[in-house]
Amino acid sequence: MNNNLQINDDRFDPSYNLQGAALATKTEFEFVNDAKALIQTGRLYFNSGRYDEAIIHYNEALSVDPKETSVYYHLGVAKFKANKLDEAIIDFEKALEFKPWNSLDIYNYTSYIYFKLGVYDKAKQSIKKILTVNHGMINDLLLNATQFFQLMES
């Protein structure tokens, strides 16, 4: 008999549903809602393509802890994926106020959104901010080559 095998004291975590894909609703189980848990739940929904549910959880995270500024980026991306571009741009601009480490990614999103909204001067400003820091990021722009050249000619 192998004595190295021990029975783990595995306990069912009621905050996860049986598939472990997302946190259960508050009405099903009682659990503490902190901002980080809500962000993680939002990410689970986001990764499942359920952007509206992700947005709900990100907004709840902000209501629990308004100082959790990284949420604005996640909100912007979720709204971008949900094609709520007018709302996404507001969240991205708010995220930039906090000088995040991923500002180049945010400028990438804002350049695309401003282009789609026809606000070409702001789209150009976002592109310039990216390229002054990292010229190589031109290959990672959300704008395709045709859109990029159309923007630069406008």
Side-chain angles (χ1 to χ4, degrees):
M1 185 167 170
N2 186 347
N3 289 334
N4 292 333
L5 297 176
Q6 297 178 359
I7 298 174
N8 289 337
D9 186 19
D10 289 337
R11 295 181 187 188
F12 176 71
D13 182 355
S15 64
Y16 287 89
N17 68 17
L18 294 177
Q19 291 78 32
L23 290 174
T25 63
K26 293 180 229 178
T27 56
E28 293 175 65
F29 302 104
E30 290 295 322
F31 63 95
V32 176
N33 278 331
D34 66 7
K36 294 197 185 316
L38 289 163
I39 293 168
Q40 290 295 55
T41 305
R43 286 182 180 167
L44 290 170
Y45 282 118
F46 179 87
N47 291 337
S48 300
R50 296 168 64 179
Y51 307 119
D52 289 329
E53 285 105 332
I55 293 166
I56 290 167
H57 283 81
Y58 294 146
N59 281 323
E60 284 183 27
L62 274 176
S63 68
V64 169
D65 185 1
K67 295 178 183 173
E68 192 64 55
T69 58
S70 67
V71 177
Y72 291 108
Y73 171 75
H74 297 296
L75 265 171
V77 176
K79 289 176 181 177
F80 175 85
K81 292 288 190 172
N83 204 30
K84 298 176 180 182
L85 300 183
D86 290 332
E87 295 176 34
I89 200 71
I90 294 167
D91 292 316
F92 285 131
E93 293 293 341
K94 184 74 172 172
L96 287 170
E97 290 177 20
F98 300 104
K99 303 199 183 336
W101 63 271
N102 57 347
S103 60
L104 293 181
D105 290 333
I106 296 171
Y107 287 126
N108 195 2
Y109 282 109
T110 59
S111 66
Y112 182 84
I113 294 170
Y114 281 131
F115 177 83
K116 287 294 191 182
L117 297 175
V119 186
Y120 299 129
D121 58 329
K122 287 192 174 189
K124 284 181 187 179
Q125 289 173 5
S126 292
I127 295 274
K128 287 177 184 176
K129 288 179 181 178
I130 293 169
L131 298 180
T132 56
V133 174
N134 184 352
H135 293 291
M137 200 166 162
I138 195 165
N139 296 321
D140 298 323
L141 293 177
L142 292 171
L143 293 173
N144 64 36
T146 304
Q147 292 168 327
F148 177 79
F149 290 117
Q150 179 185 351
L151 177 63
M152 292 304 131
E153 292 174 358
S154 67

